[in-house]
Amino acid sequence: MGRGSGIGGVIIAVWLIIGVIAAGQRGYFNSDEANCAKAGTIIVTIIAGPLNYVGVNPKINCTIPQPSK
C-alpha cells in the first residue's frame, strides 16, 4: 500500500467527523424519540458530511407496518 491509501483514510475520517458535527448542529442527537426515519436522517447527514454546509438537507421518511390485530 502506498501513501495514497493513508491520505484517503484521513480524508474519509475528516469527512465523517464533519458529518457528525453537522448532525449535532441540526440537533439530531438531542431528541429521545428513536425511529427509523430519525436514524436514517442522522446516517445520511453524517455521510453527506460537508455537503450539508452548501445547502444539502437530507431527510428520510419511512413507515413500519403495524402488527395485525
Side-chain angles (χ1 to χ4, degrees), residues 20-39:
V20 169
I21 292 168
Q25 287 177 336
R26 291 171 185 251
Y28 293 157
F29 300 122
N30 296 337
S31 174
D32 289 335
E33 179 185 346
N35 57 43
C36 68
K38 182 84 168 173

Side-chain angles (χ1 to χ4, degrees), residues 15-64:
W15 183 278
L16 294 175
I17 289 169
I18 292 171
V20 169
I21 292 168
Q25 287 177 336
R26 291 171 185 251
Y28 293 157
F29 300 122
N30 296 337
S31 174
D32 289 335
E33 179 185 346
N35 57 43
C36 68
K38 182 84 168 173
T41 299
I42 291 171
I43 291 167
V44 171
T45 300
I46 290 171
I47 293 170
L51 297 176
N52 288 286
Y53 294 108
V54 293
V56 176
N57 187 12
K59 295 279 185 190
I60 302 292
N61 294 319
C62 60
T63 340
I64 298 175

